[in-house]
Amino acid sequence: MNIVDTIKSTHRTLISLEIVPPLRGHALENIYKTIDPLVDFKPSFINVTYHREEVKFVPRPDGTMERRKINRRPGSVGIAVSIKYRYNIEVVPHIICGGFSKHEIEQQLIDYSFLGFENIFALRGDPLKGEERFVPHALGHSNAVGLVKQIADMNHGIYLDQPDLEARQTNFSIGVAGYPEKHGEAPDFDTDLKHLKEKVDAGADYIVTQMFYDNQKFFRFVDACRAIGIDKPIIPGINPLSNINHLEVLPRLFHIEIPNDFAKEVKKCKTNDDASRIGVEWAIAQCRELKAHGVPLIHFFTMSQPNSVENIIKHVF
C-alpha cells in the first residue's frame, strides 16, 4: 500500500522508521538488530537511505595518484528487499540524483517496480565529499524536482526513450524532503519553500521533514506550506539526540538550531548516556505535542539507536 493511502486509512498518529545501511563489510544482521526491537510497534513503513560514493586518492607505484570511487555504505537495494520480505513491512527506498544519469535512475525504478515496491523517496543528494557545491551527473538531474517528475512520468507510462509508446505504468507514491528551518544551501526560508512547492507540483505525494528540536518551527513550516498551496501530508522527522557532541555536530551538518533550554540541559551531562537520557526525554515531549496536534505520522531517524526510539515510542504511543 502506498504511504498516502496508509495515512488516509487511519485516524490515529502512525509511526515510521529510517534505517541507515551498515558500513562496507559489516553484516546485514546489524540492520535486523535495529529493527527487531521496534517491529512490535507496527511501523507503517521503513525508509532505507542511499549514500553516495566517496572519492579516495590512492598512490600508484610510479608516485602518481589514482582517483577511486568507494561506496562506504553499499547494498541499499538488497537491504530494502530483505527488510520488505523478512518483516512484511512496506519499505521506502531512497533514490538520489547525485552520481546517476536519468537512464540509470530509470533502471533503478524499473527494478524496484519489478520487486514489488510502491513507494520511493526522491532526493537530490549531497555533494561529494570535498566538493563545495552539488555537481550533477552530466546526463542526470540537477535537483529533486526533475527526479520527482521522472518518477511521476513513469507512473503515467512515460519512459525516457519511448515517450510516445504504450508502456507499463509504475505505481510509486513519491515522498520528498522538507526543511522546517530551510535547506542549508537555500538563501532564505521563502526560496526553499518555493522549491518544495515545485517538487509537489512535479508529482510529490507527501513530505517528510528534516529533524528539528523546536516544534514551533515545524508548526510554522506547516502553516507556511498550506499558505502557498501545498496540501500534501507533512510528516515530522524526529532524531533523538544521543551524544554531547551532537550540540555542535547536528547544527553544523544539518543546519538546524538546538533550543537554548535543551542545550543547557545537555551541557550539564557528564557522559553520553546522560545526554541520551535527556535527548529521549526531549523527544518524548516533542512527540506528545506533535501527536496532540494531530500529525498523521511521526518518522524516527533511528541512526542505529533502537533503544532510544523504543523508549520514546513506549511513552508516546
Side-chain angles (χ1 to χ4, degrees):
M1 180 182 289
N2 70 50
I3 303 308
V4 175
D5 286 343
T6 298
I7 291 171
K8 288 180 179 179
S9 67
T10 182
H11 298 290
R12 64 183 178 87
T13 300
L14 305 172
I15 67 168
S16 60
L17 311 172
E18 186 156 305
I19 299 296
V20 177
L23 289 169
R24 185 183 188 89
H26 288 215
L28 184 59
E29 281 68 28
N30 293 344
I31 293 295
Y32 298 153
K33 289 178 182 177
T34 298
I35 298 173
D36 284 346
L38 304 173
V39 169
D40 288 342
F41 298 107
K42 295 182 171 28
S44 295
F45 60 89
I46 298 176
N47 276 29
V48 176
T49 62
Y50 187 93
H51 297 259
R52 285 195 71 177
E53 74 281 5
E54 295 182 8
V55 175
K56 183 177 181 180
F57 289 91
V58 180
R60 294 191 179 105
D62 62 2
T64 60
M65 303 296 287
E66 178 185 348
R67 186 177 186 269
R68 293 182 186 173
K69 290 184 178 180
I70 300 173
N71 193 330
R72 295 181 67 242
R73 294 186 182 272
S76 293
V77 177
I79 291 168
V81 173
S82 297
I83 293 172
K84 179 178 177 66
Y85 293 105
R86 177 184 176 94
Y87 298 101
N88 194 28
I89 292 175
E90 194 64 41
V91 175
V92 184
H94 287 201
I95 285 188
I96 65 173
C97 302
F100 294 104
S101 70
K102 296 175 184 178
H103 283 86
E104 289 170 331
I105 288 170
E106 182 176 89
Q107 186 58 55
Q108 290 180 56
L109 292 167
I110 290 171
D111 287 344
Y112 276 125
S113 181
F114 287 164
L115 288 166
F117 290 85
E118 296 184 346
N119 300 277
I120 293 292
F121 200 71
L123 297 154
R124 186 201 70 178
D126 296 325
L128 279 177
K129 189 175 182 179
E131 290 182 346
E132 294 184 0
R133 61 184 180 84
F134 177 81
V135 179
H137 188 285
L139 300 175
H141 298 291
S142 60
N143 56 52
V145 175
L147 175 56
V148 170
K149 185 178 185 304
Q150 180 176 1
I151 301 169
D153 281 347
M154 289 180 64
N155 283 344
H156 291 94
I158 301 172
Y159 288 66
L160 294 174
D161 293 327
Q162 48 188 42
D164 300 323
L165 299 177
E166 184 176 342
R168 177 181 181 273
Q169 295 181 351
T170 54
N171 185 37
F172 294 120
S173 179
I174 308 168
V176 294
Y179 299 86
E181 300 173 65
K182 89 172 184 64
H183 191 279
E185 297 176 22
D188 53 64
F189 180 82
D190 289 341
T191 300
D192 193 39
L193 205 62
K194 289 177 182 177
H195 182 65
L196 178 59
K197 179 66 162 55
E198 290 174 357
K199 290 191 283 189
V200 170
D201 290 344
D205 297 300
Y206 67 97
I207 298 157
V208 178
T209 76
Q210 175 63 276
M211 70 184 75
F212 58 91
Y213 295 92
D214 182 347
N215 283 358
Q216 294 308 310
K217 292 183 184 295
F218 172 77
F219 297 141
R220 287 194 294 268
F221 171 72
V222 173
D223 289 343
C225 286
R226 302 309 184 214
I228 65 168
I230 297 175
D231 61 355
K232 305 299 183 182
I234 300 176
I235 298 167
I238 296 295
N239 179 39
L241 185 144
S242 62
N243 190 300
I244 297 171
N245 290 337
H246 282 174
L247 286 180
E248 296 181 3
V249 173
L250 294 180
R252 184 175 71 251
L253 291 181
F254 299 101
H255 308 281
I256 58 175
E257 292 184 6
I258 306 291
N260 288 333
D261 290 347
F262 185 24
K264 287 179 182 178
E265 292 302 312
V266 176
K267 288 177 181 177
K268 295 177 185 176
C269 295
K270 302 297 183 182
T271 68
N272 285 331
D273 286 343
D274 292 337
S276 180
R277 177 180 55 80
I278 296 298
V280 166
E281 290 174 357
W282 188 270
I284 288 171
Q286 275 193 276
C287 291
R288 284 175 172 166
E289 184 179 26
L290 291 166
K291 187 179 177 185
H293 202 78
V295 298
L297 187 148
I298 298 177
H299 187 70
F300 291 97
F301 301 102
T302 65
M303 303 297 185
S304 300
Q305 301 174 57
N307 293 339
S308 293
V309 174
E310 180 181 7
N311 200 356
I312 296 163
I313 296 173
K314 280 182 177 178
H315 283 82
V316 178
F317 293 89

